Amino acid sequence: MTTIALLVGIAFLIQWLAFIPAYWRQTEKFFDLTGSLTFLIISTLALFLSPRVDGRALLVWALVVIWATRLGTYLFRRIKKAGKDDRFDEIKPSFFRFLNVWTIQGLWVTLTLIAALVAITTPNRKELDLFSLIGFLVWVFGFSVEVIADYQKSRFKANLENKEKFIQSGLWFKSRHPNSFGEIVLWIGITIIALPVLQGWGWVALISPVFVTLLLTHISGIPLLEKKAEQKWGGQEDYEAYKKTTPVLIPRL
């Protein structure tokens, strides 16, 4: 518990330190990259600070590293190409509002990563088992869905003919937000891997998939994207038909 408390403190410290040059230069270009790097730093520190490392800890650490590296690279390339993130336009000039966003990112890292941190640092070690296999397969499925969905959307946007259009092909034909679905599923996978070693306060790890789900479905993910899409395509016959026939999150079979 002391180790995890230390790691949480470092996660917030990283955000606050990164905020200083970001506010000074009035830029959000390194916001998402900082978040991904924090996942990498905190999970790796957890591995080094753990008195004993086993297969389960290494598996969870590797899955977090793969996910964070892929997501950080993807988001950084996206904002570098776009030039800015318009979500920050009204926030950047305000010291406290901009600082609050960075602080919330520290909270996002903490609550999302908590299951992984418990699995990596727990003294209750157990051999890799069926939970490990099932959790790994669930993670692979979720990660694959997220990566494919992001790739399909990037290719769609790269085509100038689609400039004023919305994507409704590939996985986006099955769900309006397949990448968010994949994100939720992969963190469920990591939590499944952690289940056999949870004990006492370690059961707080179950917060991870619940938090990710609530965040993406009710706070900063899907609601903002749906609002933006409604402002852009709301009322168009094809978009209204797409909304009626395509689930918001869970892909249709």
Side-chain angles (χ1 to χ4, degrees):
M1 189 170 184
T2 303
T3 301
I4 290 182
L6 173 63
L7 294 170
V8 170
I10 294 174
F12 279 94
L13 181 61
I14 292 172
Q15 309 314 307
W16 294 331
L17 290 175
F19 159 76
I20 297 173
Y23 179 73
W24 181 264
R25 299 180 62 184
Q26 285 293 285
T27 180
E28 72 282 5
K29 288 185 178 181
F30 300 99
F31 180 77
D32 291 321
L33 183 61
T34 300
S36 298
L37 286 174
T38 305
F39 275 96
L40 293 173
I41 293 170
I42 298 304
S43 58
T44 302
L45 280 176
L47 201 66
F48 279 105
L49 293 175
S50 180
R52 180 187 166 197
V53 176
D54 63 353
R56 192 181 308 272
L58 287 172
L59 175 60
V60 169
W61 171 79
L63 298 182
V64 171
V65 167
I66 292 170
W67 169 82
T69 302
R70 202 288 307 184
L71 183 65
T73 303
Y74 169 76
L75 293 177
F76 183 67
R77 286 177 177 173
R78 187 177 69 176
I79 194 170
K80 187 177 180 181
K81 184 177 181 180
K84 69 168 187 174
D85 187 335
D86 53 17
R87 295 175 302 171
F88 292 84
D89 289 346
E90 297 181 3
I91 298 175
K92 285 185 295 184
S94 171
F95 178 90
F96 291 105
R97 289 184 68 189
F98 199 27
L99 175 61
N100 187 50
V101 170
W102 288 85
T103 302
I104 290 174
Q105 178 158 259
L107 183 64
W108 167 61
V109 172
T110 298
L111 296 181
T112 302
L113 196 57
I114 189 64
L117 293 181
V118 171
I120 293 172
T121 62
T122 181
N124 182 29
R125 300 296 182 181
K126 292 186 178 180
E127 297 283 332
L128 292 174
D129 51 15
L130 186 59
F131 280 95
S132 304
L133 177 60
I134 294 174
F136 174 71
L137 293 177
V138 170
W139 182 91
V140 169
F141 172 69
F143 182 74
S144 300
V145 169
E146 184 178 36
V147 171
I148 293 171
D150 285 341
Y151 174 72
Q152 289 175 341
K153 192 168 188 178
S154 294
R155 286 195 61 186
F156 180 83
K157 287 187 172 183
N159 188 341
L160 296 179
E161 295 180 359
N162 298 324
K163 187 175 181 180
E164 298 300 325
K165 299 178 181 179
F166 61 92
I167 184 171
Q168 52 180 322
S169 57
L171 291 177
W172 301 84
F173 175 74
K174 301 287 187 180
S175 165
R176 302 211 297 270
H177 302 279
N179 50 354
S180 294
F181 172 74
E183 177 90 355
I184 292 169
V185 170
L186 70 87
W187 287 108
I188 290 175
I190 287 179
T191 305
I192 292 174
I193 297 173
L195 280 177
V197 297
L198 300 185
Q199 61 179 3
W201 68 269
W203 286 100
V204 72
L206 297 181
I207 290 176
S208 175
V210 175
F211 170 74
V212 173
T213 302
L214 291 176
L215 179 70
L216 293 177
T217 59
H218 290 84
I219 305 175
S220 68
I222 292 174
L224 294 179
L225 294 172
E226 286 286 299
K227 182 179 179 181
K228 190 174 181 180
E230 192 65 32
Q231 291 172 344
K232 193 169 185 179
W233 300 295
Q236 292 185 16
E237 186 176 345
D238 56 348
Y239 181 69
E240 295 300 327
Y242 175 67
K243 283 199 304 180
K244 287 181 180 179
T245 58
T246 310
V248 175
L249 181 66
I250 300 176
R252 59 184 177 185
L253 298 178

